[in-house]
Amino acid sequence: MSTETGSATTGNGDDSGGETFDGLPVYEPSDEVSKAPGSLVLTSPDSVEKIGEFYKNAVRDGDWDIVSETVSRFAASITVKKRGRGASINVAPGTDGSVISISSYPSL
């Protein structure tokens, strides 16, 4: 993933070999817009639907429990939980592609 400083960002909890954020894969191609504890915002030239399908498959492959899921060409929203963690993945149309927002949090 490219960032404004040109360095890659890595997370934890995923053995896929790709970059992760709180155990979820970081979509590629993407550019980091902002990152804070529990929050990551990316942009990608790819469509909302393509990115939504990627995350739908990634959370299933990563053994996350899907709490809710909506993926269309207009918007994608996936809420998941796994062993004391929860996350929300939202994808919306952007100026030149899509905006991806991932929020993670402790969960019961």
Side-chain angles (χ1 to χ4, degrees), residues 43-57:
T43 58
S44 175
D46 289 346
S47 71
V48 168
E49 191 169 22
K50 181 176 181 179
I51 297 166
E53 289 296 327
F54 167 82
Y55 276 108
K56 187 167 74 169
N57 293 326

Side-chain angles (χ1 to χ4, degrees), residues 2-7 32-33:
S2 60
T3 64
E4 290 181 3
T5 61
S7 61
E32 184 178 306
V33 174

Side-chain angles (χ1 to χ4, degrees), residues 19-27 30 34-42 51 54-55 64 78 80 86-91 99-105:
E19 295 180 39
T20 64
F21 175 76
D22 287 350
L24 292 164
V26 172
Y27 186 81
S30 66
S34 67
K35 182 177 179 185
S39 176
L40 177 65
V41 177
L42 307 165
I51 297 166
F54 167 82
Y55 276 108
W64 290 84
I78 303 168
V80 295
S88 295
I89 304 159
N90 294 287
V91 186
V99 177
I100 306 161
S101 174
I102 302 173
S103 300
S104 64
Y105 43 84

